Amino acid sequence: MDLRDYYDNHWTHVPEGGVDYSRLQYVLDALEPGERVLDSGCGPGFLAALLAQNGIDVVGTDVSEVGPQRTRARGIDAQQVDLDTDRLPFRDGEFDAVIANSNLEHLFYLPRHVRECARCVRPGGKFIWLVPNIGHWRYRLWLLAGRFPSIPDSPTDEYHIRYVTAHEGQRLLRDAGLVRIRLRGHAGTWVRGLYPRWLVNRVTKPWFDRLYEPLVRARPSLFARYLCFYAIKDAA
């Protein structure tokens, strides 16, 4: 399969606004205006545009050609890079922060790209990684029952080829020389099929969200649909 063609087709059909901005806010919360930031796997630039609007100096890379084209149309520098096999075209320590937003789970060589992202972070800088959580409680129950369901917009659809738990994510970050790892979870209750329909229909979803959010904050490894890792590059 030609992954560039695959993602060219994907990003061509993703509409404007086709993203969960409440999740992207998790990235914005960890950054400061004026910081130089790499959005690695920028897609069509939804996150990059949000960062630029908040005074952050952002550049993007993506495996596709369409994604960077759409990002550049927003006035943001972006280029096509094979994130699986190419070295990121930046100097060691060039960025105050590097972001991998929902793209590492689509790469064959996930650990390699974590190391590449870490290389581009300055000592003492930040690496922010958002990834679907295969350790979500519903997947644990399904696996115990002998099922591995394919659910759209979840870690098991055809779009995802790598699976990450909170434990595995932290190990990958430590192996890349990153420290002071902090984990935050996002519920993602909009994902159809992941949560029982009777809990997240139009009537019940507001109260379910209010009850569920404290569980996500307390145990993101078990209750979060998305994991957000914040890590610091060892100054040594």
Side-chain angles (χ1 to χ4, degrees), residues 38-72:
L38 170 62
D39 182 3
S40 184
C42 63
F46 298 137
L47 173 59
L50 178 66
L51 299 181
Q53 290 163 13
N54 284 271
I56 293 165
D57 177 16
V58 58
V59 299
T61 57
D62 197 79
V63 68
S64 72
E65 291 186 344
V66 171
Q69 287 171 1
R70 292 179 65 177
T71 301
R72 289 193 296 271

Side-chain angles (χ1 to χ4, degrees), residues 21 24-40 42 45-59 76 97-99 101 128:
Y21 278 93
L24 300 190
Q25 185 66 38
Y26 282 25
V27 176
L28 187 60
D29 289 346
L31 300 173
E32 299 291 337
E35 288 189 307
R36 179 162 170 77
V37 173
L38 170 62
D39 182 3
S40 184
C42 63
F46 298 137
L47 173 59
L50 178 66
L51 299 181
Q53 290 163 13
N54 284 271
I56 293 165
D57 177 16
V58 58
V59 299
I76 298 166
V98 174
I99 302 158
N101 171 36
I128 305 169

Side-chain angles (χ1 to χ4, degrees), residues 5-119:
D5 286 348
Y6 181 90
Y7 287 108
D8 279 347
N9 180 68
H10 175 76
W11 291 128
T12 296
H13 294 94
V14 171
E16 291 296 311
V19 65
D20 181 358
Y21 278 93
S22 67
R23 174 169 52 83
L24 300 190
Q25 185 66 38
Y26 282 25
V27 176
L28 187 60
D29 289 346
L31 300 173
E32 299 291 337
E35 288 189 307
R36 179 162 170 77
V37 173
L38 170 62
D39 182 3
S40 184
C42 63
F46 298 137
L47 173 59
L50 178 66
L51 299 181
Q53 290 163 13
N54 284 271
I56 293 165
D57 177 16
V58 58
V59 299
T61 57
D62 197 79
V63 68
S64 72
E65 291 186 344
V66 171
Q69 287 171 1
R70 292 179 65 177
T71 301
R72 289 193 296 271
R74 305 175 195 277
I76 298 166
D77 182 25
Q79 56 186 297
Q80 190 273 330
V81 178
D82 188 329
L83 302 179
D84 249 326
T85 59
D86 289 350
R87 181 181 171 89
L88 288 171
F90 307 105
R91 300 185 307 274
D92 293 0
E94 183 168 338
F95 297 94
D96 297 303
V98 174
I99 302 158
N101 171 36
S102 309
N103 74 307
L104 292 181
E105 66 272 18
H106 308 296
L107 301 180
F108 287 104
Y109 305 114
L110 183 157
R112 176 193 175 278
H113 192 64
V114 171
R115 293 192 298 271
E116 266 298 281
C117 288
R119 178 184 65 79

Side-chain angles (χ1 to χ4, degrees), residues 88-162:
L88 288 171
F90 307 105
R91 300 185 307 274
D92 293 0
E94 183 168 338
F95 297 94
D96 297 303
V98 174
I99 302 158
N101 171 36
S102 309
N103 74 307
L104 292 181
E105 66 272 18
H106 308 296
L107 301 180
F108 287 104
Y109 305 114
L110 183 157
R112 176 193 175 278
H113 192 64
V114 171
R115 293 192 298 271
E116 266 298 281
C117 288
R119 178 184 65 79
C120 295
V121 178
R122 65 169 175 79
K126 294 165 284 195
F127 179 52
I128 305 169
W129 177 19
L130 282 83
V131 65
N133 177 27
I134 196 65
H136 186 281
W137 63 271
R138 286 217 83 187
Y139 284 110
R140 298 189 191 205
L141 291 177
W142 279 321
L143 288 169
L144 282 173
R147 294 181 57 197
F148 194 76
S150 179
I151 299 171
D153 300 312
S154 85
T156 57
D157 66 18
E158 66 176 11
Y159 185 45
H160 299 83
I161 61 175
R162 291 290 177 264

